[in-house]
Amino acid sequence: GAVVSQHPSWVICKSGTSVKIECRSLDFQATTMFWYRQFPKQSLMLMATSNEGSKATYEQGVEKDKFLINHASLTLSTLTVTSAHPEDSSFYICSASPDRGRRSYTFGSGTRLTVV
Amino acid sequence: KNQVEQSPQSLIILEGKNCTLQCNYTVSPFSNLRWYKQDTGRGPVSLTIMTFSENTKSNGRYTATLDADTKQSSLHITASQLSDSASYICVPYFGNEKLTFGTGTRLTIIP
């Protein structure tokens, strides 16, 4: 149980365009989802926490207008990188929890974003 | 400063050999400590979980130990296989608090 799926697994986009990444909980209802970013050879860094039906809470230094998070259902959250730039190239990973606000042990498979 | 330091940063061993990865943490108290395996280009996958009161936990060829007094944990891999090549991350976990990820150890198994 507790499977989290991410899509796409990799994406290449042109600078200035927007990219949407999906995170789905397959066998449970994810009240809370977390979005992380990981640069090469670095630890995962929490970007934002989203509770279903509420606005996401962003970590310090993360631009909420650039990284749009939608968590409109209990099984789906999306992260949209708007007006992407090469420095946004990174590995994005989501995590989902059935308990509101509670950190999750289960991570998605990740999405490699390359902005050219 | 990162509250979870892992060593070594990277390690290369021959297939079939054993190895031990170290994790020193300052985060305390915590409800459990997990070791994750992260293959390149993939999300982390949980290997073992130990509560604060446990000393050791095994999962196949992976054995994790925990010393709460010295705030150290280790992950021992027995009879390594090529598929063990990955990054290994130590994560003390305390309920609703922000996860603190270790710096990770990059393990490479060579034939």
Side-chain angles (χ1 to χ4, degrees):
Chain A
V3 178
V4 177
S5 172
Q6 257 183 265
H7 179 80
S9 56
W10 60 270
V11 58
I12 301 173
C13 71
K14 290 185 177 181
S15 185
T17 63
S18 296
V19 175
K20 180 182 288 187
I21 301 170
E22 293 186 348
C23 179
R24 294 180 184 273
S25 58
L26 299 185
D27 52 0
F28 67 100
Q29 292 185 325
T31 306
T32 302
M33 286 190 174
F34 309 89
W35 287 96
Y36 295 84
R37 181 167 52 182
Q38 185 178 32
F39 291 107
K41 298 184 180 181
Q42 293 188 20
S43 298
L44 279 72
M45 296 298 295
L46 181 65
M47 298 176 65
T49 302
S50 72
N51 292 310
E52 184 268 337
S54 304
K55 289 185 177 180
T57 301
Y58 291 81
E59 296 298 303
Q60 189 174 10
V62 178
E63 300 175 58
K64 62 180 182 180
D65 294 329
K66 181 170 186 62
F67 299 100
L68 301 180
I69 293 173
N70 182 284
H71 190 174
S73 81
L74 285 171
T75 59
L76 174 65
S77 174
T78 61
L79 168 67
T80 301
V81 183
T82 63
S83 187
H85 291 286
E87 57 265 31
D88 297 325
S89 298
S90 186
F91 192 57
Y92 292 86
I93 306 172
C94 71
S95 176
S97 171
D99 301 317
R100 194 175 188 88
R102 192 170 182 86
R103 301 299 167 178
S104 167
Y105 303 125
T106 306
F107 294 86
S109 53
T111 297
R112 169 71 61 192
L113 170 63
T114 302
V115 184
V116 297
Chain B
K1 181 180 178 181
N2 196 309
Q3 295 175 308
V4 186
E5 299 289 341
Q6 291 185 239
S7 62
Q9 282 190 331
S10 61
L11 180 64
I12 301 174
I13 64 172
L14 289 172
E15 183 181 10
K17 297 296 185 181
N18 304 333
C19 66
T20 300
L21 314 180
Q22 300 290 345
C23 172
N24 295 326
Y25 60 90
T26 59
V27 176
S28 184
F30 56 84
S31 62
N32 62 68
L33 184 146
R34 289 198 176 217
W35 280 90
Y36 284 88
K37 177 186 179 186
Q38 185 178 21
D39 291 312
T40 300
R42 305 289 293 177
V45 175
S46 181
L47 289 176
T48 64
I49 173 173
M50 287 181 293
T51 63
F52 188 75
S53 59
E54 292 181 300
N55 298 120
T56 186
K57 183 68 69 75
S58 292
N59 177 7
R61 296 180 296 104
Y62 301 102
T63 300
T65 64
L66 177 63
D67 186 333
D69 293 331
T70 61
K71 297 184 179 178
Q72 294 180 325
S73 178
S74 66
L75 181 68
H76 185 75
I77 303 175
T78 305
S80 61
Q81 301 175 358
L82 296 178
S83 59
D84 292 332
S85 294
S87 289
Y88 291 84
I89 307 169
C90 168
V91 185
Y93 182 86
F94 185 67
N96 296 336
E97 295 300 318
K98 181 182 299 187
L99 291 182
T100 303
F101 292 90
T103 50
T105 292
R106 177 67 202 177
L107 176 64
T108 302
I109 311 298
I110 56 176

